[in-house]
Amino acid sequence: MNGAGFSNELSAEMRALLLRVEEELGPLPDPTLLPPEEGRAQSERSNQRNNVNLPALARTRDIIVAANTDLGSQDCRMRVLVPHDAGAGAVLFVHGGGFAFCSPETHERCARVLANEIRLPVLVPDYRLAPEHPFPAGLHDVVACLRAAFAATAEAGVSTGPLIIAGDSAGANLALAAVMHEERAGRSLPSGMLLFYGAFGADFTTESYGQFAEGPGLTRGKMQRYWNWYCPDEDARRNPLVAPLHADDLVLRALPPLYLLAAGIDPLLSDTLLFADRLKAVGRNDPLAVVPGVTHGFLQNTNELAAAREALVAAGEAARGMIRGS
């Protein structure tokens, strides 16, 4: 990994957005220092501003993916977002939020943009959250939803076809871990994966954790608390289903095609760069895009950031290429 180009310089539009958010919402407490339910409610409220001017879709609905006692999942609500002229297949989009916050509602605009760019229905699971439900509860819910996506039905407005799995931040971790889980189980794998600024490891001494320890936005302290909620046993964090950077070479070689996206000003930037290095070391050539001047979570701001819209256009192009190659 070469982090020599790390820069703290915000782009003009990112700087302007952060100032607008501060003016609109005022100073907010660190949600990881609040009781989880209060932090969750604050996250839902603060994300409302990101979910306006929603892109038009053909239809939306919520379905329930039934609990699977053998897997260990529970009933899981899944939002189905179907674009106009949708093709056969679907995208399973796993929202981020530090394994503890956010929902299909907080990520709906981002998911709608993705649906329109890929021209496939997007399915967003409302998986169980830490700390009330630490690892592996959320992962098992996501795996159950992945299996449900493969068994797509007309009732959900989805036709069986190629499947892409995507996720941002902690959702990228869960998406990747779900595919590793299914590869280990010998089950069907998606045609490709879109992983946006993922939390792939719990090493808080990486270069980006050092450079961006105090943000802006996401901080090292917040990530340490998220990890303590999700997997408090530090020894267990060497499990690749917890921290995918610990996956062995054989597992990495077996993964479907990936598209990696990172934010240039993000404590998690090194996670993506280290993961990209691991992939290259086993002979893969998965594309990597690092968007300079933007902070962690910038894809939530497609209503205001050209960089976010452009990044999802590129991700959509990558996904369509994966589908053509499947």
Side-chain angles (χ1 to χ4, degrees):
M1 182 189 70
N2 180 7
F6 286 6
S7 169
N8 292 73
E9 186 174 354
L10 292 164
S11 69
E13 66 166 357
M14 188 79 240
R15 184 182 302 108
L17 173 59
L18 294 178
L19 287 172
R20 282 198 302 276
V21 171
E22 186 175 5
E23 290 172 359
E24 291 175 20
L25 302 181
L28 294 173
D30 179 340
T32 66
L33 297 176
L34 299 173
E37 284 297 337
E38 290 183 25
R40 222 164 271 146
Q42 176 177 290
S43 176
E44 294 287 327
R45 288 192 301 272
S46 62
N47 270 286
Q48 288 175 358
R49 69 174 311 283
N50 300 325
N51 288 283
V52 296
N53 301 321
L54 296 177
L57 297 174
R59 57 191 177 276
T60 69
R61 66 171 302 178
D62 286 355
I63 62 173
I64 300 296
V65 175
N68 181 325
T69 54
D70 292 335
L71 179 61
S73 67
Q74 292 189 0
D75 286 355
C76 184
R77 177 176 68 98
M78 189 158 63
R79 177 146 296 181
V80 181
L81 306 168
V82 182
H84 294 282
D85 301 320
V91 178
L92 184 72
F93 177 61
V94 188
H95 72 77
F99 308 104
F101 300 148
C102 295
S103 65
E105 286 73 24
T106 61
H107 283 62
E108 181 155 344
R109 194 178 207 284
C110 179
R112 284 176 176 240
V113 172
L114 202 58
N116 285 330
E117 289 298 333
I118 304 178
R119 297 191 289 277
L120 288 178
V122 169
L123 318 176
V124 190
D126 191 16
Y127 59 88
R128 285 173 289 170
L129 300 173
E132 298 92 336
H133 304 286
F135 174 85
L139 174 60
H140 286 166
D141 290 350
V142 171
V143 170
C145 290
L146 176 59
R147 294 180 184 178
F150 272 112
T153 65
E155 180 186 5
V158 180
S159 302
T160 301
L163 182 67
I164 299 292
I165 190 168
D168 72 306
S169 192
N173 171 304
L174 291 167
L176 179 53
V179 172
M180 291 179 174
H181 181 283
E182 296 299 81
E183 192 278 330
R184 181 184 293 179
R187 299 183 68 98
S188 297
L189 301 184
S191 298
M193 309 178 68
L194 309 175
L195 302 179
F196 307 142
Y197 37 78
F200 301 132
D203 178 1
F204 307 111
T205 67
T206 65
E207 186 172 355
S208 61
Y209 266 118
Q211 184 151 345
F212 307 119
E214 299 305 321
L218 185 64
T219 67
R220 177 162 53 195
K222 288 177 183 176
M223 282 307 305
Q224 288 172 323
R225 289 185 284 276
Y226 286 137
W227 276 104
N228 286 341
W229 281 351
Y230 181 59
C231 185
D233 181 352
E234 294 188 10
D235 290 336
R237 296 177 190 175
R238 297 194 64 81
N239 178 345
L241 297 184
V242 175
L245 274 170
H246 291 294
D248 64 35
D249 290 352
L250 288 175
V251 171
L252 296 182
R253 289 193 190 99
L255 292 173
L258 293 110
Y259 178 79
L260 300 175
L261 174 71
I265 302 175
D266 184 354
L268 299 187
L269 173 55
S270 292
D271 280 29
T272 293
L273 298 181
L274 288 165
F275 187 55
D277 285 348
R278 288 287 318 279
L279 295 170
K280 288 179 183 177
V282 299
R284 298 178 58 111
N285 189 30
D286 300 285
L288 162 67
V290 179
V291 181
V294 298
T295 60
H296 186 83
F298 78 102
L299 293 179
Q300 288 292 90
N301 304 113
T302 53
N303 189 51
E304 298 172 274
L305 285 183
R309 295 189 293 273
E310 292 163 4
L312 288 181
V313 168
E317 291 174 353
R320 293 195 299 275
M322 294 168 182
I323 292 167
R324 287 192 299 269
S326 65

